């Protein structure tokens, strides 16, 4: 089996603690290089005893002829710049969410990558976890009747004012960081973009949206509601409400490999649990990305259209919160 040789751009926590281990477990990818301008990269390689090349700059990583593709976990405001530079160097790109800071920037970045013949994919890892196959099967079987409402919440606490999630100059804010998952799952479950959105934002002292409440109107009586936060306890849950029942996904987005269960409540308030065997959603994401690279095809699970609509929706939510009105898409 052909293996895609991957480099990781920076020694950010998500790369060191989550994605790098998943690359190492992937059947069709291998980690060959890491770029870090700080001591964190060298320290990480010493601790893990990984035999990969360490580059002191992102430019050096992109110049490495042994690297086929890069994973970009950089702060949000750098996704556009380094995705383009990677494409110019002929490297395929797996880029952390959100894709960029707005839909125009995202469209420009994707077009740049496509024109240079490289695969570009946004890293919404939760889409690859098998529990969502179970959820989609239950919906198709009519477990909730007609799906009317998606409710989503993704919150956690970030107190350090220096954290990039609390810095507006880095593209911080709860909507970009965790609300993006809520927007994504709502659109995915309802199968189309919203017609209009409304947003309410509470700003942090640093100037980012510490709390965000969003309402998405999909027409025909279908809607979504979500809450994202950087100041509430850690939780990530999705409810799918229909005319005949409810599906609850208690651990919606960040799962690792533990077994999980999806709860189905019928119209008589009878609840059953549907067990789902655990799997590594990050490894599955890396393997899907690597298959696209080997096949020379752009991603389908998290397609470019999907990415663009997510950013358009986020743009509209920010506009609504800023201007105090509903915004049509």
């Amino acid at each position: 089996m052909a293996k895609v040789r991957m480099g990781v751009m920076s020694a950010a926590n998500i790369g060191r603690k989550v994605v790098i281990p998943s690359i190492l477990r992937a059947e069709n990818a291998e980690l060959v290089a890491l770029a870090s301008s700080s001591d964190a990269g060298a320290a990480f390689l010493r601790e893990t005893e990984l035999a990969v090349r360490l580059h002191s700059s992102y430019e050096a990583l992109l110049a490495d002829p042994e690297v086929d593709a890069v994973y970009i976990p950089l702060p949000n405001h750098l996704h556009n710049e380094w995705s383009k530079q990677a494409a110019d160097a002929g490297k395929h790109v797996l880029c952390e969410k959100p894709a960029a800071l707005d839909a125009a920037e995202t469209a420009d970045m994707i077009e740049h990558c496509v024109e240079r013949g490289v695969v570009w994919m946004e890293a919404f890892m939760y889409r690859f976890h098998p529990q969502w196959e179970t959820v989609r099967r239950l919906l198709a079987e009519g477990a909730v009747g007609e799906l009317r409402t998606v409710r989503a919440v993704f919150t956690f606490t970030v107190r350090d004012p220096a954290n990039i999630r609390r810095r507006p100059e880095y593209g911080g804010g709860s909507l970009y960081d965790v609300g993006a998952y809520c927007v994504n799952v709502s659109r995915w479950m309802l199968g189309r973009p919203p017609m209009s959105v409304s947003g309410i934002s509470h700003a942090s002292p640093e100037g980012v949206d510490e709390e965000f409440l969003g309402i998405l109107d999909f027409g025909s009586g279908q809607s979504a509601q979500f809450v994202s936060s950087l100041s509430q306890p850690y939780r990530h849950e999705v409810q799918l409400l229909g005319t005949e029942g409810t599906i609850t996904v208690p651990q919606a987005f960040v799962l690792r490999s533990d077994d999980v269960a999806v709860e189905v409540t019928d119209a008589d308030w009878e609840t059953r649990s549907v067990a789902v065997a655990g799997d590594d959603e990050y490894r599955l994401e890396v393997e899907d990305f690597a298959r696209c690279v080997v096949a020379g095809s752009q991603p389908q699970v998290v397609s470019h259209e999907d990415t663009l609509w997510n950013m358009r929706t986020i743009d509209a939510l920010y506009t609504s919160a800023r201007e105090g009105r509903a915004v049509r898409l």
Side-chain angles (χ1 to χ4, degrees), residues 191-220:
R192 62 187 187 279
M195 295 172 58
S196 68
V197 303
S198 298
I200 300 173
S201 174
H202 171 70
S204 73
E206 301 82 17
V208 302
D209 54 293
E210 185 173 67
E211 310 268 352
F212 204 100
L213 167 66
I215 298 175
L216 285 62
D217 179 8
F218 288 81
S220 302

Side-chain angles (χ1 to χ4, degrees), residues 3-329:
K3 288 195 173 187
V4 174
R5 300 169 299 179
M6 294 190 65
V8 173
M9 195 172 282
S10 100
N13 280 340
I14 189 171
R16 297 198 319 271
K17 297 179 179 180
V18 180
V19 178
I20 284 177
S22 296
I23 294 173
L24 295 173
R25 290 191 290 268
E27 292 185 358
N28 57 355
E30 60 178 327
L31 180 69
V32 298
L34 172 67
S36 176
S37 57
S38 69
D39 294 333
F44 171 71
L45 294 183
R46 286 195 301 269
E47 292 167 7
T48 57
E49 298 182 345
L50 289 175
V52 303
R53 291 183 297 283
L54 177 64
H55 294 292
S56 60
S57 70
Y58 306 148
E59 290 88 351
L61 175 67
L62 296 181
D64 188 337
E66 300 301 314
V67 171
D68 302 315
V70 294
Y71 165 63
I72 299 179
L74 298 171
N76 299 338
H77 72 299
L78 296 176
H79 292 177
N80 178 40
E81 172 188 351
W82 287 103
S83 288
K84 286 183 172 181
Q85 290 208 36
D88 289 341
K91 312 300 185 187
H92 305 280
V93 179
L94 176 62
C95 182
E96 264 307 320
K97 39 55 51 191
L101 297 183
D102 58 44
E105 191 175 84
T106 301
D108 177 61
M109 175 180 62
I110 290 175
E111 182 180 6
H112 189 93
C113 292
V114 169
E115 286 177 349
R116 283 151 184 79
V118 303
V119 174
W120 185 94
M121 176 174 151
E122 187 176 19
F124 269 115
M125 78 297 177
Y126 86 95
R127 296 277 289 261
F128 297 90
H129 194 278
Q131 77 168 347
W132 289 102
E133 295 178 15
T134 298
V135 168
R136 287 165 65 82
R137 174 179 58 79
L138 289 167
L139 288 174
E141 292 172 354
V144 304
E146 181 185 346
L147 179 60
R148 291 291 178 83
T149 303
V150 178
R151 290 180 182 163
V153 59
F154 199 165
T155 65
F156 71 121
T157 304
V158 180
R159 293 190 174 91
D160 182 3
N163 188 290
I164 60 172
R165 295 172 180 84
R166 285 189 169 271
R167 306 307 305 181
E169 66 270 29
Y170 296 145
S174 72
L175 178 54
Y176 277 145
D177 197 65
V178 286
Y181 288 95
C182 302
V183 172
N184 190 277
V185 75
S186 299
R187 292 175 34 263
W188 187 27
M189 292 297 102
L190 289 167
R192 62 187 187 279
M195 295 172 58
S196 68
V197 303
S198 298
I200 300 173
S201 174
H202 171 70
S204 73
E206 301 82 17
V208 302
D209 54 293
E210 185 173 67
E211 310 268 352
F212 204 100
L213 167 66
I215 298 175
L216 285 62
D217 179 8
F218 288 81
S220 302
Q222 293 183 308
S223 64
Q225 307 154 14
F226 75 88
V227 172
S228 61
S229 175
L230 301 178
S231 59
Q232 296 184 30
Y234 181 58
R235 60 174 78 88
H236 52 110
E237 180 180 279
V238 170
Q239 284 188 313
L240 306 172
L241 285 65
T243 55
E244 301 294 332
T246 302
I247 295 173
T248 301
V249 187
Q251 300 178 68
F253 302 118
V254 184
L255 291 131
R256 309 295 188 267
S257 299
D258 295 337
D259 293 345
V260 294
V262 173
E263 299 172 2
V264 182
T265 303
D266 64 22
D268 296 321
W269 293 96
E270 296 284 339
T271 298
R272 61 188 172 97
S273 291
V274 180
V276 181
D279 208 339
D280 180 353
E281 57 195 340
Y282 287 94
R283 175 184 58 79
L284 295 170
E285 172 187 69
V286 169
E287 289 179 344
D288 185 76
F289 170 70
R291 280 192 292 271
C292 291
V293 170
V294 171
S297 61
Q298 296 296 341
Q300 297 301 312
V301 176
V302 185
S303 68
H304 292 168
E305 181 182 14
D306 196 6
T307 289
L308 286 166
W309 270 112
N310 223 57
M311 289 308 307
R312 289 173 187 140
T313 306
I314 289 171
D315 284 355
L317 284 162
Y318 273 129
T319 298
S320 173
R322 185 172 60 251
E323 299 182 358
R325 62 179 179 88
V327 174
R328 293 191 64 84
L329 279 85

